[in-house]
Each structure stands twice: as C-alpha cells, then as structure tokens.
PDB file of all heavy atoms in Angstrom:
ATOM      1  N   ASP S   1      92.446 151.785 233.639  1.00  0.00           N
ATOM      2  CA  ASP S   1      92.926 152.961 232.900  1.00  0.00           C
ATOM      3  C   ASP S   1      92.267 154.236 233.406  1.00  0.00           C
ATOM      4  O   ASP S   1      92.943 155.256 233.625  1.00  0.00           O
ATOM      5  CB  ASP S   1      92.659 152.807 231.405  1.00  0.00           C
ATOM      6  CG  ASP S   1      93.511 151.721 230.746  1.00  0.00           C
ATOM      7  OD1 ASP S   1      94.498 151.254 231.363  1.00  0.00           O
ATOM      8  OD2 ASP S   1      93.159 151.327 229.606  1.00  0.00           O
ATOM      9  N   LYS S   2      90.959 154.206 233.603  1.00  0.00           N
ATOM     10  CA  LYS S   2      90.252 155.389 234.101  1.00  0.00           C
ATOM     11  C   LYS S   2      90.657 155.692 235.545  1.00  0.00           C
ATOM     12  O   LYS S   2      90.732 156.857 235.942  1.00  0.00           O
ATOM     13  CB  LYS S   2      88.735 155.214 233.996  1.00  0.00           C
ATOM     14  CG  LYS S   2      88.229 155.144 232.579  1.00  0.00           C
ATOM     15  CD  LYS S   2      88.555 156.412 231.804  1.00  0.00           C
ATOM     16  CE  LYS S   2      88.063 156.340 230.376  1.00  0.00           C
ATOM     17  NZ  LYS S   2      88.437 157.542 229.609  1.00  0.00           N
ATOM     18  N   THR S   3      90.932 154.652 236.309  1.00  0.00           N
ATOM     19  CA  THR S   3      91.383 154.841 237.689  1.00  0.00           C
ATOM     20  C   THR S   3      92.741 155.534 237.714  1.00  0.00           C
ATOM     21  O   THR S   3      92.965 156.450 238.513  1.00  0.00           O
ATOM     22  CB  THR S   3      91.427 153.486 238.421  1.00  0.00           C
ATOM     23  OG1 THR S   3      90.091 152.969 238.490  1.00  0.00           O
ATOM     24  CG2 THR S   3      91.996 153.616 239.823  1.00  0.00           C
ATOM     25  N   GLN S   4      93.639 155.132 236.829  1.00  0.00           N
ATOM     26  CA  GLN S   4      94.939 155.787 236.764  1.00  0.00           C
ATOM     27  C   GLN S   4      94.788 157.242 236.326  1.00  0.00           C
ATOM     28  O   GLN S   4      95.461 158.134 236.858  1.00  0.00           O
ATOM     29  CB  GLN S   4      95.893 155.045 235.825  1.00  0.00           C
ATOM     30  CG  GLN S   4      97.326 155.517 235.941  1.00  0.00           C
ATOM     31  CD  GLN S   4      97.882 155.352 237.349  1.00  0.00           C
ATOM     32  OE1 GLN S   4      97.871 154.272 237.923  1.00  0.00           O
ATOM     33  NE2 GLN S   4      98.366 156.443 237.937  1.00  0.00           N
ATOM     34  N   ALA S   5      93.877 157.491 235.377  1.00  0.00           N
ATOM     35  CA  ALA S   5      93.613 158.869 234.954  1.00  0.00           C
ATOM     36  C   ALA S   5      93.094 159.700 236.126  1.00  0.00           C
ATOM     37  O   ALA S   5      93.479 160.859 236.301  1.00  0.00           O
ATOM     38  CB  ALA S   5      92.617 158.885 233.798  1.00  0.00           C
ATOM     39  N   LEU S   6      92.241 159.099 236.946  1.00  0.00           N
ATOM     40  CA  LEU S   6      91.726 159.781 238.135  1.00  0.00           C
ATOM     41  C   LEU S   6      92.860 160.119 239.093  1.00  0.00           C
ATOM     42  O   LEU S   6      92.978 161.253 239.557  1.00  0.00           O
ATOM     43  CB  LEU S   6      90.680 158.908 238.825  1.00  0.00           C
ATOM     44  CG  LEU S   6      90.130 159.421 240.153  1.00  0.00           C
ATOM     45  CD1 LEU S   6      89.361 160.712 239.961  1.00  0.00           C
ATOM     46  CD2 LEU S   6      89.254 158.364 240.790  1.00  0.00           C
ATOM     47  N   ILE S   7      93.684 159.141 239.377  1.00  0.00           N
ATOM     48  CA  ILE S   7      94.813 159.353 240.304  1.00  0.00           C
ATOM     49  C   ILE S   7      95.725 160.466 239.792  1.00  0.00           C
ATOM     50  O   ILE S   7      96.207 161.288 240.571  1.00  0.00           O
ATOM     51  CB  ILE S   7      95.597 158.036 240.501  1.00  0.00           C
ATOM     52  CG1 ILE S   7      94.757 157.034 241.302  1.00  0.00           C
ATOM     53  CG2 ILE S   7      96.948 158.287 241.170  1.00  0.00           C
ATOM     54  CD1 ILE S   7      95.303 155.615 241.297  1.00  0.00           C
ATOM     55  N   ASP S   8      95.948 160.497 238.482  1.00  0.00           N
ATOM     56  CA  ASP S   8      96.854 161.482 237.881  1.00  0.00           C
ATOM     57  C   ASP S   8      96.254 162.873 237.740  1.00  0.00           C
ATOM     58  O   ASP S   8      96.974 163.838 237.501  1.00  0.00           O
ATOM     59  CB  ASP S   8      97.303 160.997 236.494  1.00  0.00           C
ATOM     60  CG  ASP S   8      98.165 159.742 236.555  1.00  0.00           C
ATOM     61  OD1 ASP S   8      98.714 159.420 237.632  1.00  0.00           O
ATOM     62  OD2 ASP S   8      98.284 159.066 235.504  1.00  0.00           O
ATOM     63  N   ALA S   9      94.933 162.980 237.880  1.00  0.00           N
ATOM     64  CA  ALA S   9      94.257 164.271 237.683  1.00  0.00           C
ATOM     65  C   ALA S   9      94.573 165.239 238.826  1.00  0.00           C
ATOM     66  O   ALA S   9      94.395 164.889 239.995  1.00  0.00           O
ATOM     67  CB  ALA S   9      92.749 164.064 237.580  1.00  0.00           C
ATOM     68  N   PRO S  10      95.006 166.439 238.502  1.00  0.00           N
ATOM     69  CA  PRO S  10      95.288 167.430 239.560  1.00  0.00           C
ATOM     70  C   PRO S  10      94.052 167.771 240.391  1.00  0.00           C
ATOM     71  O   PRO S  10      94.168 168.164 241.543  1.00  0.00           O
ATOM     72  CB  PRO S  10      95.780 168.662 238.801  1.00  0.00           C
ATOM     73  CG  PRO S  10      96.079 168.216 237.420  1.00  0.00           C
ATOM     74  CD  PRO S  10      95.320 166.952 237.170  1.00  0.00           C
ATOM     75  N   SER S  11      92.874 167.606 239.809  1.00  0.00           N
ATOM     76  CA  SER S  11      91.634 167.939 240.505  1.00  0.00           C
ATOM     77  C   SER S  11      91.076 166.790 241.342  1.00  0.00           C
ATOM     78  O   SER S  11      90.019 166.931 241.952  1.00  0.00           O
ATOM     79  CB  SER S  11      90.579 168.399 239.481  1.00  0.00           C
ATOM     80  OG  SER S  11      90.442 167.445 238.441  1.00  0.00           O
ATOM     81  N   CYS S  12      91.790 165.678 241.410  1.00  0.00           N
ATOM     82  CA  CYS S  12      91.332 164.519 242.184  1.00  0.00           C
ATOM     83  C   CYS S  12      91.444 164.806 243.685  1.00  0.00           C
ATOM     84  O   CYS S  12      92.483 165.260 244.157  1.00  0.00           O
ATOM     85  CB  CYS S  12      92.164 163.290 241.825  1.00  0.00           C
ATOM     86  SG  CYS S  12      91.663 161.772 242.655  1.00  0.00           S
ATOM     87  N   SER S  13      90.384 164.513 244.415  1.00  0.00           N
ATOM     88  CA  SER S  13      90.417 164.708 245.866  1.00  0.00           C
ATOM     89  C   SER S  13      91.310 163.655 246.516  1.00  0.00           C
ATOM     90  O   SER S  13      91.529 162.574 245.960  1.00  0.00           O
ATOM     91  CB  SER S  13      89.011 164.606 246.453  1.00  0.00           C
ATOM     92  OG  SER S  13      88.557 163.253 246.439  1.00  0.00           O
ATOM     93  N   ALA S  14      91.782 163.966 247.700  1.00  0.00           N
ATOM     94  CA  ALA S  14      92.620 163.017 248.437  1.00  0.00           C
ATOM     95  C   ALA S  14      91.859 161.735 248.738  1.00  0.00           C
ATOM     96  O   ALA S  14      92.423 160.629 248.667  1.00  0.00           O
ATOM     97  CB  ALA S  14      93.122 163.662 249.730  1.00  0.00           C
ATOM     98  N   GLU S  15      90.573 161.868 249.039  1.00  0.00           N
ATOM     99  CA  GLU S  15      89.757 160.696 249.364  1.00  0.00           C
ATOM    100  C   GLU S  15      89.566 159.792 248.146  1.00  0.00           C
ATOM    101  O   GLU S  15      89.666 158.567 248.246  1.00  0.00           O
ATOM    102  CB  GLU S  15      88.384 161.122 249.911  1.00  0.00           C
ATOM    103  CG  GLU S  15      88.448 161.902 251.199  1.00  0.00           C
ATOM    104  CD  GLU S  15      88.701 163.396 251.012  1.00  0.00           C
ATOM    105  OE1 GLU S  15      88.763 163.898 249.880  1.00  0.00           O
ATOM    106  OE2 GLU S  15      88.860 164.064 252.061  1.00  0.00           O
ATOM    107  N   ALA S  16      89.297 160.395 246.996  1.00  0.00           N
ATOM    108  CA  ALA S  16      89.122 159.606 245.779  1.00  0.00           C
ATOM    109  C   ALA S  16      90.434 158.948 245.378  1.00  0.00           C
ATOM    110  O   ALA S  16      90.452 157.784 244.957  1.00  0.00           O
ATOM    111  CB  ALA S  16      88.598 160.483 244.644  1.00  0.00           C
ATOM    112  N   LYS S  17      91.520 159.670 245.525  1.00  0.00           N
ATOM    113  CA  LYS S  17      92.830 159.097 245.196  1.00  0.00           C
ATOM    114  C   LYS S  17      93.135 157.900 246.088  1.00  0.00           C
ATOM    115  O   LYS S  17      93.596 156.855 245.615  1.00  0.00           O
ATOM    116  CB  LYS S  17      93.920 160.158 245.322  1.00  0.00           C
ATOM    117  CG  LYS S  17      95.283 159.668 244.876  1.00  0.00           C
ATOM    118  CD  LYS S  17      96.308 160.791 244.881  1.00  0.00           C
ATOM    119  CE  LYS S  17      97.621 160.298 244.346  1.00  0.00           C
ATOM    120  NZ  LYS S  17      98.593 161.373 244.189  1.00  0.00           N
ATOM    121  N   ALA S  18      92.871 158.026 247.374  1.00  0.00           N
ATOM    122  CA  ALA S  18      93.117 156.917 248.309  1.00  0.00           C
ATOM    123  C   ALA S  18      92.237 155.717 247.965  1.00  0.00           C
ATOM    124  O   ALA S  18      92.708 154.563 247.981  1.00  0.00           O
ATOM    125  CB  ALA S  18      92.872 157.372 249.748  1.00  0.00           C
ATOM    126  N   ALA S  19      90.969 155.954 247.635  1.00  0.00           N
ATOM    127  CA  ALA S  19      90.066 154.869 247.274  1.00  0.00           C
ATOM    128  C   ALA S  19      90.510 154.206 245.976  1.00  0.00           C
ATOM    129  O   ALA S  19      90.451 152.977 245.844  1.00  0.00           O
ATOM    130  CB  ALA S  19      88.639 155.390 247.158  1.00  0.00           C
ATOM    131  N   ALA S  20      90.962 155.001 245.028  1.00  0.00           N
ATOM    132  CA  ALA S  20      91.441 154.467 243.752  1.00  0.00           C
ATOM    133  C   ALA S  20      92.673 153.594 243.956  1.00  0.00           C
ATOM    134  O   ALA S  20      92.779 152.496 243.401  1.00  0.00           O
ATOM    135  CB  ALA S  20      91.753 155.618 242.789  1.00  0.00           C
ATOM    136  N   GLU S  21      93.587 154.081 244.761  1.00  0.00           N
ATOM    137  CA  GLU S  21      94.807 153.310 245.026  1.00  0.00           C
ATOM    138  C   GLU S  21      94.491 152.024 245.781  1.00  0.00           C
ATOM    139  O   GLU S  21      95.077 150.968 245.497  1.00  0.00           O
ATOM    140  CB  GLU S  21      95.820 154.167 245.783  1.00  0.00           C
ATOM    141  CG  GLU S  21      96.398 155.269 244.899  1.00  0.00           C
ATOM    142  CD  GLU S  21      97.231 156.298 245.643  1.00  0.00           C
ATOM    143  OE1 GLU S  21      97.103 156.409 246.890  1.00  0.00           O
ATOM    144  OE2 GLU S  21      97.996 157.013 244.966  1.00  0.00           O
ATOM    145  N   ALA S  22      93.571 152.087 246.721  1.00  0.00           N
ATOM    146  CA  ALA S  22      93.172 150.891 247.473  1.00  0.00           C
ATOM    147  C   ALA S  22      92.503 149.881 246.551  1.00  0.00           C
ATOM    148  O   ALA S  22      92.741 148.666 246.656  1.00  0.00           O
ATOM    149  CB  ALA S  22      92.238 151.266 248.629  1.00  0.00           C
ATOM    150  N   TRP S  23      91.672 150.378 245.626  1.00  0.00           N
ATOM    151  CA  TRP S  23      91.020 149.467 244.691  1.00  0.00           C
ATOM    152  C   TRP S  23      92.050 148.794 243.787  1.00  0.00           C
ATOM    153  O   TRP S  23      92.028 147.576 243.611  1.00  0.00           O
ATOM    154  CB  TRP S  23      89.977 150.204 243.840  1.00  0.00           C
ATOM    155  CG  TRP S  23      89.342 149.261 242.856  1.00  0.00           C
ATOM    156  CD1 TRP S  23      88.368 148.343 243.111  1.00  0.00           C
ATOM    157  CD2 TRP S  23      89.684 149.113 241.486  1.00  0.00           C
ATOM    158  NE1 TRP S  23      88.084 147.633 241.965  1.00  0.00           N
ATOM    159  CE2 TRP S  23      88.873 148.088 240.951  1.00  0.00           C
ATOM    160  CE3 TRP S  23      90.596 149.750 240.636  1.00  0.00           C
ATOM    161  CZ2 TRP S  23      88.950 147.681 239.620  1.00  0.00           C
ATOM    162  CZ3 TRP S  23      90.662 149.345 239.308  1.00  0.00           C
ATOM    163  CH2 TRP S  23      89.840 148.321 238.820  1.00  0.00           C
ATOM    164  N   LEU S  24      92.970 149.578 243.238  1.00  0.00           N
ATOM    165  CA  LEU S  24      94.007 148.992 242.378  1.00  0.00           C
ATOM    166  C   LEU S  24      94.803 147.926 243.120  1.00  0.00           C
ATOM    167  O   LEU S  24      95.102 146.866 242.565  1.00  0.00           O
ATOM    168  CB  LEU S  24      94.951 150.080 241.848  1.00  0.00           C
ATOM    169  CG  LEU S  24      94.430 150.931 240.699  1.00  0.00           C
ATOM    170  CD1 LEU S  24      95.410 152.063 240.407  1.00  0.00           C
ATOM    171  CD2 LEU S  24      94.190 150.091 239.452  1.00  0.00           C
ATOM    172  N   ALA S  25      95.129 148.200 244.372  1.00  0.00           N
ATOM    173  CA  ALA S  25      95.902 147.238 245.168  1.00  0.00           C
ATOM    174  C   ALA S  25      95.102 145.970 245.444  1.00  0.00           C
ATOM    175  O   ALA S  25      95.685 144.891 245.626  1.00  0.00           O
ATOM    176  CB  ALA S  25      96.351 147.878 246.475  1.00  0.00           C
ATOM    177  N   ALA S  26      93.786 146.072 245.469  1.00  0.00           N
ATOM    178  CA  ALA S  26      92.936 144.928 245.799  1.00  0.00           C
ATOM    179  C   ALA S  26      92.558 144.075 244.586  1.00  0.00           C
ATOM    180  O   ALA S  26      92.078 142.959 244.753  1.00  0.00           O
ATOM    181  CB  ALA S  26      91.662 145.413 246.488  1.00  0.00           C
ATOM    182  N   VAL S  27      92.773 144.598 243.372  1.00  0.00           N
ATOM    183  CA  VAL S  27      92.409 143.843 242.166  1.00  0.00           C
ATOM    184  C   VAL S  27      93.134 142.497 242.182  1.00  0.00           C
ATOM    185  O   VAL S  27      94.331 142.418 242.408  1.00  0.00           O
ATOM    186  CB  VAL S  27      92.745 144.630 240.884  1.00  0.00           C
ATOM    187  CG1 VAL S  27      92.605 143.755 239.645  1.00  0.00           C
ATOM    188  CG2 VAL S  27      91.853 145.859 240.770  1.00  0.00           C
ATOM    189  N   GLY S  28      92.343 141.447 241.986  1.00  0.00           N
ATOM    190  CA  GLY S  28      92.904 140.107 241.946  1.00  0.00           C
ATOM    191  C   GLY S  28      93.071 139.451 243.307  1.00  0.00           C
ATOM    192  O   GLY S  28      93.590 138.345 243.407  1.00  0.00           O
ATOM    193  N   THR S  29      92.622 140.129 244.359  1.00  0.00           N
ATOM    194  CA  THR S  29      92.727 139.576 245.714  1.00  0.00           C
ATOM    195  C   THR S  29      91.333 139.275 246.255  1.00  0.00           C
ATOM    196  O   THR S  29      90.326 139.642 245.647  1.00  0.00           O
ATOM    197  CB  THR S  29      93.422 140.560 246.682  1.00  0.00           C
ATOM    198  OG1 THR S  29      92.526 141.652 246.959  1.00  0.00           O
ATOM    199  CG2 THR S  29      94.734 141.100 246.116  1.00  0.00           C
ATOM    200  N   ALA S  30      91.296 138.679 247.408  1.00  0.00           N
ATOM    201  CA  ALA S  30      90.017 138.375 248.064  1.00  0.00           C
ATOM    202  C   ALA S  30      89.273 139.649 248.463  1.00  0.00           C
ATOM    203  O   ALA S  30      88.058 139.622 248.686  1.00  0.00           O
ATOM    204  CB  ALA S  30      90.260 137.505 249.293  1.00  0.00           C
ATOM    205  N   ASP S  31      89.968 140.760 248.544  1.00  0.00           N
ATOM    206  CA  ASP S  31      89.362 142.035 248.944  1.00  0.00           C
ATOM    207  C   ASP S  31      88.781 142.829 247.765  1.00  0.00           C
ATOM    208  O   ASP S  31      88.192 143.893 247.967  1.00  0.00           O
ATOM    209  CB  ASP S  31      90.401 142.911 249.647  1.00  0.00           C
ATOM    210  CG  ASP S  31      90.865 142.333 250.961  1.00  0.00           C
ATOM    211  OD1 ASP S  31      90.087 141.588 251.590  1.00  0.00           O
ATOM    212  OD2 ASP S  31      92.011 142.623 251.353  1.00  0.00           O
TER     213      ASP S  31
END
C-alpha cells in the first residue's frame, strides 16, 4: 500500500518509482 502511494506521489523520483515497481513485480518470486 505504501509502495503504491509512493508510485502515485507527484513528488516521487524516477529512480524511486522504478525501484518500487521492480519490487512490486518481484513480490512472490525468487527475486
């Protein structure tokens, strides 16, 4: 939930957004 809030925040940096999206994609995987 906090990760989605971060992604949706206008003040989120491109790097943080990319890391957040990569983390969400990796949840439940070996990565």
Side-chain angles (χ1 to χ4, degrees):
D1 291 346
K2 294 300 179 183
T3 296
Q4 192 59 55
L6 175 64
I7 290 168
D8 294 342
S11 52
C12 182
S13 72
E15 297 84 5
K17 185 174 184 174
E21 290 170 341
W23 178 78
L24 283 173
V27 170
T29 72
D31 294 333

